[in-house]
Amino acid sequence: MEHLENPNEDALEPKNEQQKFEQTLSENETQTDDSLNFKNRIDLTELQEGIALIKNEIGKVIVGQKSMIDLLIASILANGHSLIEGVPGVAKTISAKLLAKSLDIDFSRIQFTPDLMPSDILGTSVFNIKSSEFEFKQGPIFSNMILIDEINRAPAKTQAALFEVMEERQITIDGNKYTMDLPFIVLATQNPVEQEGTYRLPEAQLDRFLFKIDIDYPNLDEEIEIINREQSLKGTTKTEKITAHLSKEQIGKFQNLVNKVIIESHLVKYIADIIVNTRSNPFLYLGASPRASIAILKASKAFAAMNGRDFVTPEDIKQAAIPVLQHRVIVTPEREMEGVTTKQIIKQIIEAVEIPR
């Protein structure tokens, strides 16, 4: 039987050196394109899916306020507390409640009032007649997420009761130490307008909060949407449709992933430059502490993970700077009388510090 050659074999092989060169060049271009489609060294797929679920649940009720929602989620990922400030009726409390309801964790709410005592928050020892011993009865602070409504309405001694638990996730009563169950996140609200019957938060208390989140009024379209949604409720409550998605274990896992996000040494210096500039700025009476540096580091890692990256960029640091610093620095009395705000000064500092390349 006569052997038949494949007529396409010659076409598959380059006939001359020029064709060989063009084929090699094409293969190299293909390899270069493939190398650009890099993969994260840390798998953030589950984290991003979880964030999308939370945003979807909150979006069923809250209209707009994207920045606030992003900051609240970032505070959880960075294992930090948030102070939410805004005029009455802009969804401060309901946003915190919805966030807690979208997570499969314990939640408690504490309404701060002028007559509130530290034992009303932390707990107290009660004498048990049967055992003839004192037993510690836990207060509402023993939860995973705590909403403190109108935190500036309680006196200084009650606010001071939060110092240890917010920083160290533990309380000490009668010489006994009680450790909080993780995750432990405090969300506090306050009204910046009404000053009667309020107590200004001391700097040490403010420094415990990772973020200070300012909430503005909605725009016209958002206002219309809010009214239409309220009309469509028809007697049902706003939180009925919210489903819990993330467990304690998942939140702990996501927090560990955020800690592993990579930040280059020149970006660490960028954070330090911003902080040092707050201490030497002539418009500021009080600059930021090293705790603020660490807060920007943690927050920028959280923002990077939320954006699907396992490395920090200068934009992540810029995004974190204002909510981290605006409650930690104090404007000089002269500039404050002129109407200069901490947010304006921080923006100027960020613009003045050279961005690393």
Side-chain angles (χ1 to χ4, degrees), residues 9-10 66 89 102 131 133 138 151 202 212-213 230 248 346 351:
E9 283 183 357
D10 293 339
K66 180 181 179 298
S102 67
S131 62
E133 293 180 350
Q138 295 182 351
I151 189 173
K212 179 174 175 285
I213 305 172
E230 186 67 27
K248 298 177 185 179
I346 294 166
E351 291 171 1

Side-chain angles (χ1 to χ4, degrees), residues 37-48:
N37 298 324
F38 62 89
K39 291 184 179 180
N40 281 331
R41 289 151 287 190
I42 304 171
D43 187 5
L44 300 171
T45 306
E46 186 181 354
L47 183 146
Q48 287 195 289

Side-chain angles (χ1 to χ4, degrees), residues 118-304:
S119 58
D120 297 327
I121 302 169
L122 305 180
T124 185
S125 295
V126 179
F127 185 73
N128 188 325
I129 298 176
K130 292 182 179 179
S131 62
S132 297
E133 293 180 350
F134 282 95
E135 294 180 356
F136 179 68
K137 185 178 180 181
Q138 295 182 351
I141 200 70
F142 284 85
S143 189
N144 296 122
M145 182 172 286
I146 298 92
L147 169 61
I148 300 177
D149 220 353
E150 296 187 278
I151 189 173
N152 56 339
R153 288 203 174 275
K157 62 180 178 181
T158 304
Q159 292 178 11
L162 298 171
F163 282 9
E164 181 183 10
V165 70
M166 288 180 66
E167 180 65 22
E168 302 175 39
R169 269 70 174 180
Q170 68 175 37
I171 63 171
T172 305
I173 294 181
D174 296 333
N176 297 318
K177 184 176 72 175
Y178 301 91
T179 305
M180 300 294 113
D181 185 24
L182 299 179
F184 178 78
I185 306 294
V186 174
L187 303 179
T189 69
Q190 72 174 6
N191 177 1
V193 179
E194 188 178 4
Q195 302 300 326
E196 186 177 353
T198 62
Y199 301 84
R200 185 178 179 274
L201 295 183
E203 277 64 42
Q205 177 70 49
L206 289 170
D207 204 35
R208 260 67 173 177
F209 289 100
L210 177 71
F211 293 139
K212 179 174 175 285
I213 305 172
D214 294 328
I215 303 182
D216 296 324
Y217 286 118
N219 58 37
L220 177 61
D221 292 335
E222 292 171 344
E223 192 82 26
I224 294 171
E225 179 65 19
I226 290 169
I227 297 170
N228 288 333
R229 288 194 184 186
E230 186 67 27
Q231 174 65 17
S232 64
L233 286 175
K234 296 180 180 179
T236 60
T237 60
K238 295 179 180 179
T239 57
E240 283 184 6
K241 299 178 181 179
I242 305 301
T243 305
H245 290 286
L246 302 182
S247 64
K248 298 177 185 179
E249 291 74 20
Q250 285 177 299
I251 294 172
K253 177 182 177 182
F254 294 163
Q255 289 175 343
N256 289 332
L257 287 176
V258 168
N259 287 332
K260 295 177 182 177
V261 170
I262 299 163
I263 180 168
E264 300 293 340
S265 57
H266 61 280
L267 291 179
V268 172
K269 184 179 182 298
Y270 181 49
I271 295 174
D273 286 338
I274 293 173
I275 298 300
V276 171
N277 269 268
T278 66
R279 299 169 189 168
S280 58
N281 191 288
F283 293 172
L284 293 178
Y285 170 74
L286 178 69
S289 67
R291 184 182 286 160
S293 303
I294 297 170
I296 292 180
L297 173 68
K298 291 181 178 180
S300 59
K301 286 185 175 185
F303 288 131

